[in-house]
Amino acid sequence: MAPNRMRRMTPFAILALALLPAFLLSQQPKNAAVIAVDAAHPGAAISRSMFGIFFEDINFAADGGLYPELVKNRSFEFQEALQGWHQTMGFSSKGIDPPKGELDVRTDDPLNETNPHYLRVRVEEPGYSFWNSGYRGVGVKKDAEYRFSAYVRTSGPRSIRATITDEKGREIGTARLEGFSGQWKRYEAVLRATQTAQHAQLNFIVEEPGTLDIDMVSVFPLDTWKHRENGLRKDLVQLLYDMHPGFLRFPGGCIVEGRQLATRYRWKTTVGDIAQRKTIINRWNLEFDQRPAQDYFQSFGLGFYEYFQLAEDIGAQPLPILNCGMACQFNSSETAALGQLDEYVKDALDLIDFANGPVTSPWGKLRAQMGHPEPFHLTMIGVGNEQWGPRYFERYKVFAAALKASHPEIKLVVSAGPSPSGDLFDSAWSTWRQLNADIVDEHYYMSPEWFFANTGRYDHYDRSGPKVFAGEYAAQTIQSTSSENRNNWQAAIAEAAFMTGLERNADVVRMASYAPLMAHVDAWQWKPDAIWFDNLRSYGTPNFYVQSVFANNVGTRILPATPEAEDGLYTSASLDDSTHEVIVKVINNSPAARPAEIRLTGIHPSGTAKVITLGSTDLSAENSFDHPTAVAPQSSTLDVRSGTISVQLRPYSLTVYRIPAQ
Ligand code: AHR
């Protein structure tokens, strides 16, 4: 057919055909950048858990944050047993009135062996009271209900009353526990707040003289995520849920390691009855002289069961990280001898049992007793956090031998050390290649410029070696660990550009997470962080929204797209096999709007494309409690009739196009 048709063409038609490309080009917007996406040749599958969450109990992210207990040091197990607790002082014209009783911390005949301290309250005059300062104050919401509970033992006073007072000392809620005996027993009552207060105070009043022993004193919101009794703070989980993360890494971070081995994270002490979980110091308590947090401990109210449950709730794969017999190499660097590793390895084997084992197995039984007979579907475990050097490699071999022998289905995540290049990094990678490790965790706390310069970092990684987990990254606007770092759009857009490189190389990069995740505005140690909160409110930073936009628009297979990085434009593309969409991500890192043309080949797009735009013309833009979505995704639509789509890229923006395709 074609030759005949050619034969019948007039000279005019031939001329017109020859001039067509030039005509089409002249129809393009001037200087339009061309983004070419080849949907005819999909590449590797993108991991279902590609963009996820790194959670560490740093910045009061657990106690005082995600774990919404209002009472600080509820079990009197902080190093200073009365930290957070105070006697109520009376004042008269003569000065301070002597208190009408005393507080005494005792260990004789305690509630249990793992929680050896309790408070003995000796009341001389009715109305003796003491109070708890909470986590930088106590936040309560008008009409919200709180469960006041405690273990009490007494043959004297018959009741104890809790009150909440606002910043002006006005009572805004009260509840009473009563009916005590001479044996330890738990009591509870519901307290309703009549007003909202950001920095309220919790008071405890005993109205009869005598002696009363009390432990595990708790004031806990009823309105938790999924209304669970030992549940998590709703607004914070909602942010995580909305992000649609592929995995949840927990519990860190350096707290896995501890400053010494004695204070390492041991998952077995974090499960079961909360009154039996052993409180220890938080590794970030003493870390930074400029941000001391002497009241930073771990109650483990948020423990491994709750982490697994959280992962399940938000649709994320669980990724627990375990201590491998090494304390933090930036601190004591204590190491368990190779002959002492049995306990550590057993912890790992038992964890698999706890997560996946049948309810008839010892640890599976505990999981069922805690309320989850079904398995948690654990598929991967981190061996060590941010470790390096030959001591680490030797210890990994011991773990790998035991774990691979009995659980070949579990992938092991290992560390590439604390920095993204250099001798430690190189020696780690050459070891992991030799040992044929499954997944290597790389960390980069680098400048925004580094992130832009490294969008091609994985283009030439060995495809036959271990896979990569970009496990901790965040652009540092000043420098790593500087308390002046900002969560601004300059950092976030750099991370977005870098993430196009992660996505393009999803055959080798299997997972990625920003770090750290959360910070309390009045109690942080480390900046920047994806989510900020106070006692009542929370907001996602621009950096958080970059993570969210990528995780919500990840696709199932990579598509070749050009240019990958050119003249301030960074792109990646994927195909979503389940929704039949081509997903194109474009970052315009320039102060001017830019016309562009997305040219799709290999498919016939038509219909309404979804467009998600995130950006600001101001690189210093940040979110805040007052303006929580100053930089946040905006949705719009675009009619698509052909494979050539003209778009206008906003200045300094990340735009995602979800284009319906046949
Ligand atoms: O994210 C903060 C810390 O940075 C992590 O605990 C540690 O793994 C890294 O050094």
Side-chain angles (χ1 to χ4, degrees):
M1 288 292 284
N4 285 342
R5 211 184 259 174
M6 278 299 280
R7 246 182 269 129
R8 270 188 260 124
M9 277 181 127
T10 61
F12 175 76
I14 291 169
L15 182 67
L17 204 60
L19 292 176
L20 187 62
F23 169 77
L24 287 177
L25 272 177
S26 71
Q27 297 305 296
Q28 282 175 18
K30 229 174 164 195
N31 300 326
V34 174
I35 298 161
V37 178
D38 180 2
H41 298 98
I46 301 174
S47 146
R48 198 158 72 80
S49 46
M50 182 70 190
F51 297 113
I53 290 175
F54 162 95
F55 181 90
E56 176 168 22
D57 185 5
I58 182 173
N59 304 316
F60 284 65
D63 290 335
L66 195 55
Y67 187 64
E69 173 63 80
L70 300 186
V71 178
K72 182 165 76 181
N73 190 14
R74 66 183 174 187
S75 59
F76 309 96
E77 299 299 332
F78 283 19
Q79 247 155 30
E80 285 178 33
L82 275 180
Q83 196 165 34
W85 294 95
H86 313 270
Q87 300 194 80
T88 311
M89 294 296 184
F91 297 94
S92 67
S93 53
K94 294 186 194 137
I96 298 174
D97 291 339
K100 302 179 172 93
E102 65 177 9
L103 301 179
D104 183 12
V105 176
R106 308 281 293 236
T107 54
D108 52 307
D109 198 8
L111 181 60
N112 61 56
E113 294 307 317
T114 51
N115 183 2
H117 299 86
Y118 63 89
L119 184 67
R120 174 156 292 176
V121 186
R122 201 170 54 76
V123 183
E124 283 162 15
E125 281 180 44
Y128 174 62
S129 78
F130 51 100
W131 59 279
N132 186 277
S133 55
Y135 293 94
R136 309 296 191 269
V138 171
V140 289
K141 283 192 187 145
K142 183 173 178 347
D143 294 331
E145 293 183 316
Y146 301 84
R147 185 182 303 102
F148 167 36
S149 68
Y151 283 83
V152 182
R153 171 178 67 185
T154 174
S155 48
R158 282 168 296 181
S159 70
I160 181 165
R161 197 160 70 88
T163 69
I164 299 182
T165 45
D166 70 7
E167 292 83 351
K168 294 192 170 143
R170 293 173 299 209
E171 187 174 305
I172 56 169
T174 183
R176 183 189 302 274
L177 303 183
E178 51 199 346
F180 309 138
S181 74
Q183 306 301 321
W184 283 117
K185 195 175 158 206
R186 185 172 174 277
Y187 301 84
E188 63 175 57
V190 171
L191 181 159
R192 196 173 65 83
T194 55
Q195 290 300 330
T196 294
Q198 175 85 16
H199 290 101
Q201 183 173 305
L202 293 173
N203 313 284
F204 302 89
I205 304 144
V206 186
E207 277 147 350
E208 289 168 300
T211 300
L212 174 143
D213 296 340
I214 190 165
D215 205 351
M216 288 297 289
V217 188
S218 170
V219 179
F220 205 93
L222 294 190
D223 191 18
T224 58
W225 177 258
K226 292 198 178 236
H227 297 280
R228 294 209 178 94
E229 186 166 331
N230 190 48
L232 304 180
R233 195 172 132 173
K234 229 171 145 181
D235 59 325
L236 292 174
V237 181
Q238 189 68 52
L239 281 164
L240 305 185
Y241 180 85
D242 292 345
M243 183 191 150
H244 199 243
F247 65 90
L248 172 69
R249 168 182 166 162
F250 58 88
C254 290
I255 66 157
V256 171
E257 305 162 32
R259 291 172 69 91
Q260 301 88 17
L261 282 175
T263 53
R264 70 185 186 274
Y265 198 101
R266 307 168 90 159
W267 75 266
K268 286 177 180 167
T269 66
T270 76
V271 292
D273 177 6
I274 56 168
Q276 303 264 4
R277 301 184 191 179
K278 188 173 168 49
T279 298
I280 62 168
I281 194 166
N282 186 300
R283 175 233 182 274
W284 296 102
N285 182 311
L286 300 166
E287 185 65 16
F288 295 122
D289 292 344
Q290 74 277 19
R291 300 287 308 172
Q294 281 149 358
D295 57 345
Y296 202 178
F297 286 74
Q298 301 174 81
S299 75
F300 299 119
L302 167 53
F304 260 40
Y305 177 83
E306 289 77 18
Y307 282 124
F308 277 116
Q309 201 170 41
L310 172 64
E312 183 176 84
D313 286 352
I314 60 178
Q317 300 270 311
L319 170 51
I321 309 290
L322 298 182
N323 189 296
C324 64
M326 300 178 78
C328 183
Q329 289 168 270
F330 289 115
N331 301 141
S332 74
S333 197
E334 258 186 285
T335 315
L338 288 177
Q340 295 173 324
L341 282 184
D342 286 1
E343 183 193 346
Y344 295 79
V345 173
K346 185 156 180 2
D347 278 359
L349 293 168
D350 288 344
L351 180 64
I352 299 170
D353 198 15
F354 179 71
N356 294 349
V359 298
T360 47
S361 69
W363 290 99
K365 185 174 166 197
L366 177 62
R367 182 191 72 237
Q369 281 165 355
M370 292 183 75
H372 204 287
E374 308 78 23
F376 279 123
H377 306 294
L378 176 68
T379 58
M380 49 195 172
I381 288 182
V383 178
N385 172 47
E386 195 180 62
Q387 324 295 157
W388 63 83
R391 280 187 293 155
Y392 176 41
F393 309 142
E394 283 177 329
R395 276 151 191 79
Y396 163 78
K397 286 185 204 163
V398 177
F399 271 79
L403 289 168
K404 291 292 178 191
S406 50
H407 288 286
E409 77 282 7
I410 301 286
K411 298 267 180 261
L412 300 184
V413 176
V414 292
S415 166
S419 42
S421 54
D423 292 348
L424 295 179
F425 179 86
D426 293 342
S427 89
W429 260 104
S430 93
T431 306
W432 300 134
R433 275 193 205 99
Q434 274 168 31
L435 296 176
N436 202 15
D438 296 324
I439 306 170
V440 179
D441 175 12
E442 299 188 352
H443 295 178
Y444 0 87
Y445 295 100
M446 308 297 280
S447 67
E449 295 73 30
W450 184 94
F451 280 86
F452 281 119
N454 276 270
T455 55
R457 177 180 174 89
Y458 295 107
D459 292 351
H460 305 293
Y461 256 51
D462 176 7
R463 263 49 196 172
S464 60
K467 302 296 180 199
V468 173
F469 170 28
E472 295 184 29
Y473 61 87
Q476 315 285 302
T477 56
I478 305 296
Q479 64 178 42
S480 182
T481 74
S482 165
S483 53
E484 303 301 318
N485 283 324
R486 309 298 310 182
N487 277 110
N488 61 21
W489 182 238
Q490 179 204 10
I493 194 172
E495 290 149 8
F498 180 73
M499 289 169 78
T500 60
L502 301 181
E503 188 173 88
R504 263 198 337 266
N505 290 285
D507 56 328
V508 66
V509 181
R510 304 304 284 166
M511 296 187 294
S513 46
Y514 183 94
L517 180 68
M518 288 183 188
H520 190 305
V521 278
D522 297 326
W524 56 271
Q525 292 76 50
W526 181 296
K527 263 185 183 177
D529 306 283
I531 293 170
W532 285 86
F533 60 89
D534 63 17
N535 289 339
L536 292 177
R537 302 166 299 170
S538 53
Y539 68 87
T541 60
N543 317 72
F544 169 79
Y545 284 117
V546 164
Q547 297 298 313
S548 181
V549 167
F550 271 77
N552 275 292
N553 296 286
V554 74
T556 50
R557 282 186 287 164
I558 312 167
L559 290 179
T562 53
E564 292 168 351
E566 192 180 280
D567 192 21
L569 278 192
Y570 301 84
T571 56
S572 61
S574 61
L575 193 64
D576 189 326
D577 286 302
S578 55
T579 60
H580 305 290
E581 291 170 301
V582 167
I583 305 173
V584 183
K585 300 189 180 74
V586 191
I587 281 108
N588 173 22
N589 184 40
S590 74
R594 290 187 67 174
E597 204 168 79
I598 301 172
R599 291 188 192 164
L600 300 178
T601 49
I603 51 148
H604 302 288
S606 111
T608 305
K610 296 181 202 105
V611 183
I612 301 120
T613 314
L614 179 64
S616 170
T617 49
D618 175 7
L619 287 176
S620 67
E622 296 184 19
N623 292 339
S624 64
F625 291 118
D626 292 336
H627 303 285
T629 54
V631 185
Q634 292 168 0
S635 298
S636 57
T637 55
L638 183 69
D639 279 340
V640 176
R641 299 194 191 289
S642 76
T644 301
I645 307 163
S646 295
V647 297
Q648 187 75 0
L649 302 171
R650 294 195 199 159
Y652 292 129
S653 64
L654 154 64
T655 312
V656 178
Y657 301 92
R658 296 190 70 113
I659 304 160
Q662 297 302 313

